[in-house]
Amino acid sequence: MRIDSKALVQALKKAGEKRGMTQEELGEQLGFSKDRTKNIFSGRTKLSGDDVLAILSNPQYSLSKLKKYMPYWRLRRDLADVERESQIMETVNESALMFPKRIQSSLMQTNVRKSSTEMARDVMSDKRWWLLRTGWICSASRDGEKIIFTPIAPDFLTAVNAMKRMGWISYNKEMNTACACWERINGGKTEPESNAFCEVTLRSYIINPDNGFDLDSQFRQVVAGRSIGAVEFDRVEELAKCIDVVADIVKNWVHYSLPDQTDEYGVSPASLYRDKFDYLEAAVLEMCAIHYDLVQSDIEIDESVERRYLQIMSEDGKRYQSSALIDGILAVNDRLGHLASPKANDWKQYGSLQKNR
């Protein structure tokens, strides 16, 4: 979704004026520092996506349902849906699905002096398993635009102990070397059958009461249902769409005009943005934010999408046509993971781009 936070800033200013609040008081109520308040209300810094969601979730700052605010109402509706789902979600699921992390392989490049737990990490990384906030080890499978997590072990050490008992991993004291028996781990199969075999076999061994693992009732109940929930996983598609928009604007810059096709809410880029530069700026910043979020969340980006992103951002060692327009935008805008510190020439370039809208 591409929205200009300037409209929301103006609405906040009006809300503050009606309450007789100074901009500094308004910023403090919104949780901004003094400097950030000054930058946001002066227009130097745009609201981040998290800022927008935090403001929209605050009933004090509801917006008039005007056409230009429809994207914000769409966000508010989505936020309300998430809140309603959270109210009926089981506590264990809600906790488990927060902040999933991919299990990384061992940092040790050699097996010499590598412990069995480090070797187990290599196995879990090879199978692309995840660690949830509850400590559960899970596999992850794609289902359309969602990722389904399926529990395998209640914690890392239980998984390691099970692998050792099953003879999947061992430690040779004489050779001071950790070993993994991949033939047993994969069941003599190749991907994807080997991954499914490994997951099913390990989980079955752990939940078998005869093997003596101490499992809490919540884990057993969730395993009985197999999947513990799903999280939205459409950010890679969003990144690809943003790249398409930016590439189209840059390629046809001289003759480009804002699209007037409307979405299901009756909003089109032509009705939402002032001009093509305004649209390009919003699309570039959104593209950067999505890419940063994907990288920080360790979500795999398709190679073709990553290559196109690096090219359009001129980050693959070459400079492309897009840099003439994008460099000026990046120079003066704060974005996730990067605070801008523009110099006089940067503002001059940015101003020149604005004049040639």
Side-chain angles (χ1 to χ4, degrees):
M1 184 182 300
R2 303 170 185 85
I3 49 180
D4 186 353
S5 65
K6 294 177 183 178
L8 183 54
V9 170
Q10 292 301 319
L12 290 173
K13 285 183 178 179
K14 292 180 180 179
E17 291 172 358
K18 290 181 180 179
R19 295 184 176 91
M21 301 171 65
T22 65
Q23 288 186 3
E24 186 174 334
E25 291 171 336
L26 179 59
E28 183 178 357
Q29 190 176 85
L30 295 170
F32 300 144
S33 66
K34 185 175 181 180
D35 289 340
R36 184 160 170 73
T37 297
K38 181 179 179 181
N39 288 338
I40 286 176
F41 288 114
S42 66
R44 181 181 181 275
T45 301
K46 290 191 174 184
L47 294 171
S48 69
D50 288 341
D51 291 333
V52 172
L53 288 175
I55 292 167
L56 293 177
S57 64
N58 188 332
Q60 296 186 67
Y61 300 103
S62 59
L63 302 174
S64 302
K65 198 169 183 180
L66 302 177
K67 184 177 181 181
K68 65 179 180 179
Y69 292 137
M70 287 301 290
Y72 295 111
W73 278 91
R74 185 166 156 190
L75 275 177
R76 180 184 286 279
R77 183 205 63 188
D78 292 343
L79 185 64
D81 289 343
V82 171
E83 291 173 345
R84 281 194 294 270
E85 291 172 2
S86 296
Q87 291 173 0
I88 63 175
M89 185 185 296
E90 293 181 4
T91 303
V92 60
N93 286 5
E94 182 179 8
S95 177
L97 291 174
M98 294 180 68
F99 313 118
K101 294 182 179 180
R102 274 279 292 274
I103 297 176
Q104 301 298 309
S105 61
S106 172
L107 296 178
M108 300 180 68
Q109 299 300 309
T110 175
N111 288 348
V112 178
R113 297 185 181 278
K114 181 182 288 187
S115 66
S116 298
T117 54
E118 289 294 286
M119 181 59 72
R121 282 180 56 189
D122 287 342
V123 174
M124 296 180 195
S125 175
D126 178 77
K127 301 306 176 186
R128 296 182 288 278
W129 290 351
W130 292 71
L131 176 68
L132 301 189
R133 189 181 183 184
T134 55
W136 295 355
I137 305 297
C138 296
S139 65
S141 59
R142 184 84 177 255
D143 181 16
E145 295 183 346
K146 295 182 179 180
I147 283 291
I148 304 297
F149 290 109
T150 304
I152 300 170
D155 55 70
F156 183 80
L157 288 180
T158 297
V160 174
N161 288 334
M163 289 183 183
K164 291 166 69 175
R165 289 194 204 175
M166 297 165 70
W168 285 9
I169 55 175
S170 59
Y171 189 79
N172 189 315
K173 293 183 179 180
E174 294 182 359
M175 300 183 64
N176 201 19
T177 302
C179 302
C181 182
W182 290 102
E183 181 68 19
R184 292 182 181 179
I185 292 170
N186 295 326
K189 307 176 187 299
T190 57
E191 287 194 31
E193 289 80 8
S194 60
N195 292 345
F197 171 85
C198 178
E199 174 184 340
V200 172
T201 305
L202 182 60
R203 178 171 50 241
S204 299
Y205 185 87
I206 289 173
I207 65 175
N208 187 335
D210 295 336
N211 293 325
F213 289 106
D214 185 17
L215 307 178
D216 63 72
S217 58
Q218 289 181 338
F219 180 79
R220 287 190 179 279
Q221 290 171 5
V222 172
V223 168
R226 288 304 171 120
S227 67
I228 62 175
V231 292
E232 292 300 321
F233 195 70
D234 58 357
R235 297 290 277 171
V236 175
E237 285 80 358
E238 289 183 26
L239 176 61
K241 291 177 182 177
C242 275
I243 293 174
D244 287 341
V245 171
V246 174
D248 185 35
I249 298 175
V250 170
K251 181 179 179 181
N252 304 293
W253 177 252
V254 175
H255 302 292
Y256 187 85
S257 58
L258 289 173
D260 55 10
Q261 294 87 355
T262 60
D263 58 18
E264 64 269 33
Y265 293 92
V267 178
S268 68
S271 65
L272 190 59
Y273 296 95
R274 289 176 298 175
D275 48 54
K276 61 184 180 183
F277 180 76
D278 197 33
Y279 186 33
L280 173 63
E281 184 174 33
V284 167
L285 295 179
E286 183 183 16
M287 178 180 68
C288 293
I290 294 174
H291 185 269
Y292 179 86
D293 185 46
L294 289 171
V295 172
Q296 292 300 306
S297 301
D298 197 26
I299 295 176
E300 186 175 352
I301 303 174
D302 294 343
E303 184 179 349
S304 60
V305 175
E306 177 70 9
R307 183 170 60 252
R308 292 187 63 210
Y309 175 82
L310 294 176
Q311 288 177 345
I312 204 159
M313 293 289 287
S314 297
E315 292 183 358
D316 63 350
K318 302 177 182 179
R319 292 189 68 79
Y320 297 88
Q321 175 187 1
S322 54
S323 64
L325 295 167
I326 293 178
D327 286 354
I329 293 172
L330 298 178
V332 304
N333 281 285
D334 292 340
R335 57 190 190 277
L336 287 174
H338 179 87
L339 294 178
S341 54
K343 300 178 175 57
N345 287 340
D346 295 324
W347 283 113
K348 184 177 180 180
Q349 181 186 7
Y350 183 75
S352 176
L353 291 171
Q354 286 182 314
K355 291 178 182 177
N356 295 299
R357 294 173 184 270

